[in-house]
């Protein structure tokens, strides 16, 4: 069974930074895509950032230039570096991995507030 475990969420002030981490355990070979979604209260879940096994990245327009997604060489870890955080970034962030199925983390709360 594949499990994704997230860490790094918390409360930060506007303009601050956070680094989210997601560790995959179990069957971890040949994920075609890993990355992050988020869901704010009253909003639909949206893709924040993704990275393919070949290293191709994609970002939501709202986070381009501020967030960066990366992975380790074994594709067991995926990270989201978040900079210049804004209150509208407040959401539950979910790690995902795809390829032969879709796998999701439990979510970690990111709150951007003074």
């Amino acid at each position: 069974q594949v499990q994704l475990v997230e860490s790094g969420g918390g409360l930060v002030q506007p303009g601050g930074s956070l680094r989210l981490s997601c560790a995959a355990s179990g069957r971890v070979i040949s994920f075609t895509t890993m990355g992050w979604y988020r869901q704010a209260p009253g909003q639909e879940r949206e893709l924040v950032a993704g990275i393919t096994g070949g290293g191709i990245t994609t970002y939501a327009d709202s986070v381009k230039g501020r967030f960066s997604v990366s992975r380790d060489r074994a594709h067991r870890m995926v990270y989201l570096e978040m900079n210049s955080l804004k209150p509208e970034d407040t959401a539950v962030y979910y790690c995902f991995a795809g390829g032969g199925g879709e796998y999701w983390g439990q979510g970690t709360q990111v709150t951007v507030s003074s």
Side-chain angles (χ1 to χ4, degrees):
Q1 180 182 355
V2 173
Q3 291 184 314
L4 304 178
V5 180
E6 300 145 320
S7 62
L11 174 65
V12 295
Q13 296 186 49
S17 298
L18 282 176
R19 189 191 193 206
L20 304 183
S21 299
C22 175
S25 62
R27 192 181 299 275
V28 199
I29 300 173
S30 297
F31 290 135
T32 58
T33 305
M34 299 184 75
W36 300 88
Y37 282 73
R38 70 185 181 188
Q39 187 167 16
Q43 301 293 110
E44 293 187 356
R45 187 169 59 181
E46 65 174 352
L47 176 68
V48 178
I51 184 167
T52 70
I56 305 300
T57 59
T58 186
Y59 297 94
D61 287 343
S62 60
V63 307
K64 286 181 179 177
R66 299 189 297 119
F67 291 10
S68 180
V69 64
S70 60
R71 63 177 176 87
D72 73 331
R73 295 172 66 181
H75 223 240
R76 291 185 171 91
M77 299 285 295
V78 62
Y79 306 93
L80 185 67
E81 182 72 34
M82 304 185 293
N83 301 302
S84 301
L85 284 161
K86 305 174 180 179
E88 52 262 44
D89 295 318
T90 296
V92 178
Y93 285 70
Y94 298 91
C95 178
F96 77 88
E102 297 287 336
Y103 306 94
W104 297 90
Q106 296 298 116
T108 185
Q109 178 71 46
V110 173
T111 302
V112 185
S113 176
S114 299

